[in-house]
Structures are given as structure tokens and as C-alpha cells.
Amino acid sequence: MPMRRFPLRLKIAGFAGGLILLATVLVALFTVILPWRAKLKAQERLASHFDPTRVHALVENSSRVQGVEIVYALLWDDRGNLDSAASLANVPLLRKASEQLAQLYLRDRAHALEYLAVGRRQSGIRRLPIKLTADSGPGHSTIGRLELGLSTMAIDSELRRSLIRDAFVLAGTLFFAVMSALSIARRIAQPLTDLSAAMGRVREGDFEITAAPSTRTNDEIGDLARSFDEMTLGLKERERLRGTLGRYVSGDVAERILSETDDLSLRGEVRHVAVLFLDVRGFTTISEKLTPTEVVALLNEYFDVVVDRVAAHGGTVNKFIGDAAMCIWGAPKHAVQGERSAVLCALEIQARAKKLSAERTKRGLTTVGFGIGINAGEAVAGNLGAAKRLEYTVIGDAVNLAQRLESQARAGEVLVSQPVYDKVALEVDAAPRDPVKLKGKSKPVPLWEIRRTKVVATEAA
């Protein structure tokens, strides 16, 4: 389950609010709570040192004298019996604590004292038990117990006022702190949000994006924004180089080269490849009649057809050799049916070239035709050349034979070797050619001329 995402500005605001809350609680603890508890302790210490013989006078005068206010005094004998006659309560102070209890005391003094003696907690009254001992004789013998009911209403009232005041201060401080933290957090988080959005654009392939103006600050975020701009410039340059490289070598080869960590790692590997060679027939005669600019324009227009069809059939245009081209299937990426793809590609190239020639004839321009040869077999694929100048290509007898076949093809013809024909015999209409003696071969090589696919022949019928 993915973790819930919390915006950075809320985290900063929450952290600031938590600090303010902690500080306020500590201030309240040391300025309100602890002083309140100290006052209760001081009241208790003062009350415990009074002379028991003066308790009656002290209780009766407690409502007139500020300091230790005693609401009631209860006296028990040494047997634990409440002495109602010796016990008494201060009616004005008792009325402040409980009007009903004060009325009961005035109506039935003994019953009210018994109620207080039960030990039920009464708001605004704190119970203080005092053990009474005799000083005469060996040791100190217990002669009774005295319980004073100390009024905490004044102290509690002061505590409530302090707490209410602190609560308002806390609420105002928290509101101001949270709003300020949100404002500061927005100024911190917004540049990071803008950078995150820009990075998302880069991930989608937009290398023209730059850091937003909000990120160009003179701090660490500004440093991050400048680094982001430098990164996008580097990525843009890398894509430009990839595009430029893809115009000089095939896209598959460019991807393979860029993916290698070692520039010289493509040292060679044996691959089963299908190799297609094509050449412009009569090019020498044609080039003598055209200017260099017209020659380049002529070749580029026809080679556009070659590049388009080879790419459509999953092949690689390995190199252009003047007015010739070498195309391969099976390197640098594997091809499942390289022979079939090469043959179908060759037929489409011839068809498109014928159509292009017809269009150029209508415009009064020079036309050319391709002779194509295809062979398949084992070849060595890898980087060839020197450390300062490398070229990814394939070499071997299979490649040489494909070139020899191309030299035997006339304009518009597609010649293939016996191994290639065996792979596509069921899909094409082909005619055998007389075996020819080729350079480097001790025996004549059987040839097949591929004329059309059987599907096309059926549709034409």
C-alpha cells in the first residue's frame, strides 16, 4: 500500500505549530501549574502549624482575614468518634463552596458536620488531616485527629484566569504561527513543486523546459534550479547527438553504441544475418550528365525509399557506399525471420523505386534503377577500425556473397541465394537463374530471381 503523501508546506506548518504548542505548554506549566501547586503546598504548611486550641477562633475569622482560609474544622477523639461540639464550619466560606451545604449547616449543624466528615470531595475545598499528639509522658501518644477543610477557591480562580488567558494567547499565537509557517512554507515548497513539475516534463521527453522563475533564489534551491538547467542542457545535447548519430548510422546501432559503457565493448560476435546489397545501375553514365548537386539530390530521393522500407521491415541500413547501400537483418538486434523480411523489403523497394521513377519522368527528371542481391548466413558483427575511428558492421563470406549477387542483378531485379530462397519459397514467385561463377567461389552458385509475392500475384489475377 503506497504511503499517504503530505505536502511539504503542511509538514513545515505542522512542525512550527507543534513547536509553538510545546513552548506554550511549557510556559503554562512553569508559570501557572507549578506556582498553583506551590501555593497549595504553602497553604497546607501554614495550616498545619496552627495551635489546635485556636482552631475555633481561626475558623470563625477565616472569612475576614486573607491568607489561609479554613472552611471547616472537624475534630475526632482518640477513639475515632467525631466531636460535633468541638467541630465547626465558617458559614460565609462554606456558602461560597456550596449553598445547599451551608443551608444544611444552619438548619442541622450535626448532620452537616457528619456529611463533611464522610470525606466526600467538595469543589473548592481541600482536606488537610492533622494528627493530634500529647507531648507529656514518654513518647508522643495520639489523643485525636483534626481535619481542616482549606478553601482553594481563590487559588483556583486565579488558576482559571491564568489558564483562560494562556489559552487565548496560545490560540492567537498558534494561528499566527501556522499562517506564518504556511506562508514561509509556500515560499520554500513552491519552487520545489515547480522543479518537480519541470522534472516531470523532462521525464516525458521535453528537454526545452527550464526552471521556473520562482526557483531562481540565492540559496540551495537556486543552486538546485541551476543544476536542473544544466542537466536539461546536457540532455538536450545528448538527444541532439543521438539524432545526429542516427542520421549517420542506423537507429539500432546508435542505441547500441549509446547504451554501452565501454566505447570499445562491441569487439565482435557471430550472428546469423540476412544481408541485402543494392546498387544504382548505370550511375557512372548518369553522373556525367548531371551536376554534383543534382547527383546528390537524385541519390537522396531514391535512398529515402530504401531507408523507409528497411526500417519498416525491421532491418538496419548499415552503410551507404557511394551509389550502393548495405542493409542487414540480425545485427545489432536479432531478427526472427531475417531472410523473409529482407526479400519482402527488396520487393517493396523495387516497387517504390519504379513508382518514383514514373513521377520523376513526368517532371522531366533523370531516373535510376536498383539491382539487389540478398544472401544469409553466419557473419561477424562488431566495431571494426582503429581506436580513433570505428564502424559497426558485419563481415564474412555471407556478406561477400550478397555483394556478388547484387553485381549480377540488372535494374529492377532481386537475386537471392539458394539458402534465402529455401526460406521464402512458399511465399514468392521466383525463377531459377543459371548458376554463375562468382569471385571467391570454386563452384558455380545457383541463383533465384524473386519476382513477386504470391499474395500479390493472387490479387492481380
Side-chain angles (χ1 to χ4, degrees):
M1 182 178 179
M3 295 181 62
R4 187 175 180 183
R5 186 175 183 272
F6 289 96
L8 182 60
R9 58 179 178 271
L10 293 184
K11 293 180 181 179
I12 297 176
F15 179 71
L19 287 180
I20 295 297
L21 180 62
L22 177 62
T24 305
V25 170
L26 291 177
V27 169
L29 175 65
F30 287 103
T31 61
V32 179
I33 304 299
L34 294 181
W36 171 71
R37 293 174 63 88
K39 288 180 181 180
L40 293 178
K41 290 292 184 181
Q43 184 188 56
E44 181 178 318
R45 285 195 300 272
L46 289 174
S48 62
H49 288 85
F50 283 121
D51 186 355
T53 60
R54 299 176 54 222
V55 169
H56 275 252
L58 184 62
V59 173
E60 290 176 351
N61 296 318
S62 286
S63 59
R64 304 188 185 94
V65 180
Q66 294 293 331
V68 180
E69 296 180 334
I70 302 177
V71 181
Y72 63 83
L74 302 178
L75 186 64
W76 284 267
D77 59 19
D78 56 349
R79 297 179 180 179
N81 299 317
L82 177 65
D83 189 347
S84 300
S87 304
L88 76 161
N90 186 297
V91 177
L93 294 178
L94 186 61
R95 182 175 284 114
K96 292 180 181 180
S98 174
E99 179 64 30
Q100 294 180 348
L101 192 56
Q103 294 296 331
L104 177 63
Y105 183 80
L106 293 176
R107 290 195 310 271
D108 189 347
R109 180 173 178 275
H111 188 193
L113 293 174
E114 288 288 346
Y115 180 85
L116 292 171
V118 173
R120 293 180 181 178
R121 183 177 180 82
Q122 187 68 37
S123 176
I125 300 177
R126 188 181 184 198
R127 311 173 73 89
L128 176 62
I130 301 174
K131 185 184 295 185
L132 301 179
T133 58
D135 294 335
S136 59
H140 300 285
S141 60
T142 301
I143 61 175
R145 179 167 61 90
L146 174 66
E147 181 179 296
L148 300 179
L150 306 180
S151 174
T152 62
M153 288 182 290
I155 300 175
D156 292 344
S157 177
E158 182 180 351
L159 173 65
R160 283 191 295 272
R161 287 194 300 270
S162 298
L163 290 178
I164 293 173
R165 178 195 64 210
D166 290 350
F168 278 108
V169 172
L170 172 61
T173 305
L174 274 178
F175 178 78
F176 176 76
V178 170
M179 295 306 295
S180 300
L182 282 174
S183 177
I184 296 173
R186 187 181 299 111
R187 298 190 64 180
I188 296 175
Q190 190 59 47
L192 297 178
T193 302
D194 293 340
L195 274 177
S196 177
M199 289 179 181
R201 295 276 298 276
V202 171
R203 185 170 58 249
E204 295 172 359
D206 181 6
F207 301 119
E208 299 294 331
I209 191 70
T210 57
S214 61
T215 63
R216 303 185 184 283
T217 54
N218 190 24
D219 52 18
E220 288 81 358
I221 295 178
D223 295 338
L224 182 61
R226 287 184 285 273
S227 298
F228 173 81
D229 288 342
E230 293 175 1
M231 179 193 71
T232 55
L233 286 175
L235 291 174
K236 186 193 305 182
E237 180 65 15
R238 185 175 185 271
E239 286 302 304
R240 188 189 70 82
L241 292 175
R242 184 194 297 270
T244 302
L245 183 61
R247 289 184 175 90
Y248 288 89
V249 298
S250 70
D252 295 332
V253 175
E255 290 290 339
R256 180 69 181 274
I257 292 172
L258 293 174
S259 66
E260 295 293 338
T261 56
D262 183 1
D263 295 338
L264 300 177
S265 63
L266 300 178
R267 298 186 181 278
E269 53 186 342
V270 177
R271 291 288 189 92
H272 179 83
V273 297
V275 184
L276 180 154
F277 270 92
L278 62 84
D279 190 19
V280 175
R281 292 295 174 251
F283 177 72
T284 302
T285 303
I286 294 172
S287 63
E288 291 176 352
K289 301 177 182 179
L290 302 177
T291 66
T293 302
E294 290 173 333
V295 170
V296 171
L298 170 67
L299 290 178
N300 286 345
E301 191 167 1
Y302 277 91
F303 282 151
D304 278 342
V305 173
V306 175
V307 172
D308 177 68
R309 290 300 84 202
V310 170
H313 286 275
T316 299
V317 179
N318 183 253
K319 67 181 71 177
F320 291 101
I321 313 167
D323 61 331
M326 172 183 171
C327 309
I328 54 178
W329 282 259
K333 63 180 182 180
H334 291 279
V336 178
Q337 294 179 312
E339 294 87 346
R340 179 179 182 275
S341 298
V343 170
L344 296 179
C345 178
L347 292 174
E348 289 190 15
I349 289 174
Q350 295 292 29
R352 294 288 182 92
K354 184 177 180 181
K355 182 178 179 181
L356 176 60
S357 295
E359 294 175 355
R360 289 179 63 87
T361 299
K362 292 179 181 179
R363 290 183 284 163
L365 301 175
T366 303
T367 62
V368 297
F370 291 127
I372 299 178
I374 302 174
N375 186 38
E378 299 293 327
V380 177
N383 279 336
L384 295 179
K388 295 182 178 180
R389 177 67 173 87
L390 295 172
E391 180 183 39
Y392 182 85
T393 188
V394 293
I395 57 174
D397 184 63
V399 180
N400 296 335
L401 181 56
Q403 189 174 22
R404 304 286 187 273
L405 295 178
E406 171 266 312
S407 67
Q408 298 296 314
R410 294 186 292 268
E413 288 184 344
V414 176
L415 299 183
V416 302
S417 63
Q418 185 67 43
V420 174
Y421 174 74
D422 291 339
K423 292 287 186 179
V424 298
L426 299 178
E427 299 183 57
V428 299
D429 286 334
R433 296 278 289 269
D434 294 334
V436 295
K437 185 70 170 63
L438 299 178
K439 183 179 179 181
K441 295 296 181 180
S442 59
K443 296 180 179 181
V445 177
L447 303 179
W448 289 84
E449 179 186 350
I450 307 297
R451 295 177 175 175
R452 65 180 67 85
T453 63
K454 290 183 177 180
V455 174
V456 173
T458 302
E459 290 178 352

